[in-house]
Amino acid sequence: MLSGLKAGNIFYERRLFGKDGVIRTVWIEYPPAVKSKYDPLVSAIAASLEGP
């Protein structure tokens, strides 16, 4: 998992490396002005992802 600021936007990235050889990536990027709205959504998405 990686998160931070890129070009003034907040980003969240997570990669899952499957046993089937497929890499699945989630990338979410949004402006800081909507942080309070998007952070709970990103947290829910992150919690729903299972590790390898």
Side-chain angles (χ1 to χ4, degrees), residues 14-36:
R14 180 158 179 196
R15 292 185 183 170
L16 302 173
F17 299 88
K19 292 180 182 177
D20 57 2
V22 175
I23 301 170
R24 293 158 179 89
T25 302
V26 174
W27 176 276
I28 303 169
E29 186 173 339
Y30 51 96
V34 296
K35 182 180 186 324
S36 63

Side-chain angles (χ1 to χ4, degrees), residues 33-48:
V34 296
K35 182 180 186 324
S36 63
K37 181 178 182 177
Y38 276 70
D39 278 357
L41 299 171
V42 172
S43 294
I45 292 168
S48 74

Side-chain angles (χ1 to χ4, degrees), residues 2-20:
L2 183 63
S3 63
L5 291 173
K6 178 184 176 196
N9 286 329
I10 298 167
F11 74 89
Y12 168 85
E13 179 183 24
R14 180 158 179 196
R15 292 185 183 170
L16 302 173
F17 299 88
K19 292 180 182 177
D20 57 2

